[in-house]
Amino acid sequence: MALTYSNEQKSGQLIQSFDLFTKIQEHEQVLFCNDPATGLKAIIAIHDTTLGPALGGTRMRPYDTFEEALEDALRLSKGMTYKNAAAGNDFGGGKGVIIGDPLKDKTPELFRAYGQFIDSLKGRFYTGTDMGTVLDDFVHAHKETNCIAGLPEEYGGGGETSIPTALGVLYSIQAVAKTLWGHEELTGRIFAIQGLGKVGYKVAEHLLENGADLYVTDISEDAIHSLVEKGKQMGGKVTAVKGNEIYGVDGDIFVPCAIGGIINDQTIDQLKVKGIVGAANNQLLHESHAKVLKEKGILYAPDYIVNSGGVIQVADELYGPNKERVLSKTKNIYRSILEVLEQSEKENMTTVEAANRMCEKSLNSRKVRNSFFSSTDRPKWDIRR
C-alpha cells in the first residue's frame, strides 16, 4: 500500500493525505497509474487475494473528479471479491478504472501503457473488459502482460462475456420467479429493463423468447428501435419509456442493466414491482436499501451473483477456453440465487446479508486452509502460460 499525496499545497510543499489510508483501509493495495506520454490516468484497486490473484474488469469513464474514480474502483473491487467467492472462482477481487472518455481518448499506446502497469503487479491482478472498454482494447494491453483475461477468440480467449452474463441474469430471473410464484414460467409477465447495452439487450431477447412483455429505456434510440422491431417479429410486446419513468412501471420484475446506485431513497418509493433482478453492478446506493426493499415486499436478487456469468467465463479462460464448461458453471447461478433467497427467508435477513454471509464463509474457510502454508511454501500465481 503506497503513500499518496493530496493536491493541496502549503508553503510550496505537498501535504500528505492521511485520509486516503482511512478510505482504502479495507483494501490490500491501490496502484495509481500515470503515463504523461499516452495520457493514461488509471487506478487499480486490489481488495482481497485470499482466494487467489485479484480478478476484475477495467472500465473507462470521464470521471468528474479523482475522488469519484477512486470511490468507483474501491466499491467495484470489493464487489469482485464477493462475486468471485459466490461463483466458486479461485480468484480474489480487484478492479481497474481509466479516467477518460472512451469515445475520444482511447489509443493503442494508452492500453499498452496500462498493460505495463498491470505487469508491474507480477500476477496479483488479472483484468479484461468492463464499461467503456472492449475486447480489442486489451489485445494491445496483452502485448505488455500475460495478466489479461477476456480476449477475443482469435487471440486464444473466450470471446464476448456478455453471453454468459445475460444467461446468468435469465437463470436468476427464473429463480426469483420460482420463489415468487412457485414456477419458472415467464409468459405474460411484465419486465422493466433499464439499459439495452451488450448485456441488457441480450437479456431482453431471452425474455421475449420466454413470452414476456417488456418496458425498456436506454440512452440509445437505435437500441430501443431495434428491440421494438425484434419484439414484433417474435410476437412480444416492447414498450419504450423515457428515462426515470422506468421506475414507475407497473410490472412484475425490474431489470437494471445500466449504472449502479439506482436503488435509493428516491427510486424505491416509485417501484411497483415484486422483484429486482439485473446485471448492473452496485445497484443499491447503500446496503441499507436492501432492508427497505424487504420491508416493502420487493424480492432483491444480489447483483454480484446475478451478473457473475461474465467473470465465470473470464476466470475459466485463464485455464484454457471451453464454452461448454462455462455454460455449465453459469447454470449454477440459478442454484446460488435460490440458496440465498431461501436463507434470507429462513433467517429473516435481507438477501444481501444472506449472500454476504455465504461469500464470507467461503473466504474464512480458505483463510484457514491457507494458514497451513508458510509464505515460502504457498503456490505462486502464474496462471496463463
Side-chain angles (χ1 to χ4, degrees):
M1 187 183 298
L3 180 64
T4 190
Y5 297 87
S6 73
N7 289 326
E8 184 181 357
Q9 291 193 0
K10 186 175 182 180
S11 301
Q13 300 294 321
L14 289 173
I15 300 175
Q16 293 179 347
S17 178
F18 289 104
D19 285 342
L20 182 62
F21 284 97
T22 301
K23 184 179 287 289
I24 66 175
Q25 63 184 338
E26 291 187 27
H27 289 66
E28 293 180 9
Q29 184 176 7
V30 178
L31 176 68
F32 301 99
C33 313
N34 182 47
D35 184 58
T38 64
L40 173 71
K41 290 181 174 60
I43 303 169
I44 297 173
I46 297 176
H47 177 254
D48 189 292
T49 58
T50 298
L51 298 180
L55 173 65
T58 293
R59 62 176 46 184
M60 186 172 186
R61 283 184 56 195
Y63 294 95
D64 292 330
T65 64
F66 167 81
E67 288 75 15
E68 182 186 353
L70 177 61
E71 187 66 32
D72 209 22
L74 296 177
R75 288 189 63 191
L76 290 167
S77 59
K78 182 177 180 180
M80 288 305 304
T81 296
Y82 285 83
K83 183 183 293 191
N84 280 310
N89 293 333
D90 289 332
F91 290 89
K95 204 74 174 183
V97 300
I98 297 175
I99 303 171
D101 187 336
L103 298 179
K104 300 177 181 178
D105 299 329
K106 283 185 182 180
T107 64
E109 292 75 21
L110 182 144
F111 277 90
R112 290 193 69 154
Y114 184 57
Q116 291 175 344
F117 280 106
I118 293 168
D119 204 58
S120 73
L121 292 168
K122 301 187 182 302
R124 283 177 52 78
F125 176 61
Y126 285 75
T127 193
T129 64
D130 198 276
M131 181 187 299
T133 61
V134 296
L135 298 181
D136 285 344
D137 294 331
F138 291 92
V139 171
H140 302 299
H142 187 45
K143 294 176 181 177
E144 304 293 341
T145 180
N146 279 331
C147 297
I148 300 297
L151 288 166
E153 292 182 68
E154 60 269 29
Y155 286 88
E160 184 54 64
T161 58
S162 63
I163 296 172
T165 303
L167 278 173
V169 177
L170 176 64
Y171 297 145
S172 300
I173 287 172
Q174 291 172 334
V176 168
K178 185 174 180 63
T179 303
L180 287 172
W181 305 303
H183 57 80
E184 302 169 7
E185 179 62 47
L186 303 180
T187 301
R189 295 293 179 185
I190 299 173
F191 294 84
I193 304 178
Q194 181 186 50
L196 296 175
K198 290 184 291 187
V199 175
Y201 195 95
K202 291 181 178 66
V203 172
E205 290 179 310
H206 287 313
L207 292 174
L208 287 172
E209 290 169 357
N210 280 270
D213 294 326
L214 311 179
Y215 284 83
V216 301
T217 189
D218 191 84
I219 58 175
S220 170
E221 293 294 334
D222 290 341
I224 291 174
H225 176 74
S226 173
L227 190 66
V228 169
E229 292 302 310
K230 180 155 288 190
K232 292 176 181 177
Q233 296 170 11
M234 301 174 69
K237 182 180 179 182
V238 179
T239 303
V241 299
K242 297 291 185 181
N244 291 339
E245 292 177 9
I246 198 72
Y247 300 115
V249 169
D250 191 1
D252 293 299
I253 293 178
F254 175 44
V255 187
C257 295
I259 60 174
I262 46 81
I263 305 299
N264 51 55
D265 292 339
Q266 288 70 43
T267 59
I268 286 179
D269 288 340
Q270 302 175 52
L271 295 174
K272 300 176 183 177
V273 293
K274 302 173 184 64
I276 300 175
V277 192
N281 287 312
N282 297 325
Q283 293 165 27
L284 305 180
L285 184 59
H286 303 293
E287 283 196 3
S288 59
H289 287 114
K291 185 176 182 180
V292 180
L293 290 173
K294 182 176 175 61
E295 292 170 348
K296 192 170 180 176
I298 298 176
L299 194 59
Y300 174 69
D303 51 58
Y304 65 77
I305 301 179
V306 173
N307 63 20
S308 61
V311 78
I312 287 173
Q313 174 171 304
V314 169
D316 188 84
E317 174 190 313
L318 291 170
Y319 299 97
N322 186 305
K323 290 184 178 181
E324 291 73 21
R325 190 171 61 212
V326 169
L327 293 178
S328 176
K329 291 180 178 179
T330 301
K331 289 179 181 178
N332 290 331
I333 293 174
Y334 175 89
R335 176 190 54 76
S336 296
I337 291 293
L338 276 183
E339 181 181 337
V340 165
L341 299 183
E342 290 168 0
Q343 192 68 20
S344 169
E345 179 66 24
K346 180 180 178 181
E347 300 290 337
N348 191 30
M349 62 175 62
T350 69
T351 54
V352 171
E353 290 172 323
N356 288 351
R357 178 180 292 185
M358 180 178 73
C359 296
E360 287 159 6
K361 181 179 179 181
S362 176
L363 288 166
N364 290 332
S365 174
R366 182 64 67 85
K367 286 177 181 176
V368 171
R369 292 198 299 276
N370 283 350
S371 68
F372 287 102
F373 292 98
S374 71
S375 60
T376 56
D377 291 334
R378 290 178 65 173
K380 303 300 181 184
W381 289 336
D382 187 9
I383 297 171
R384 171 167 271 151
R385 299 187 185 272

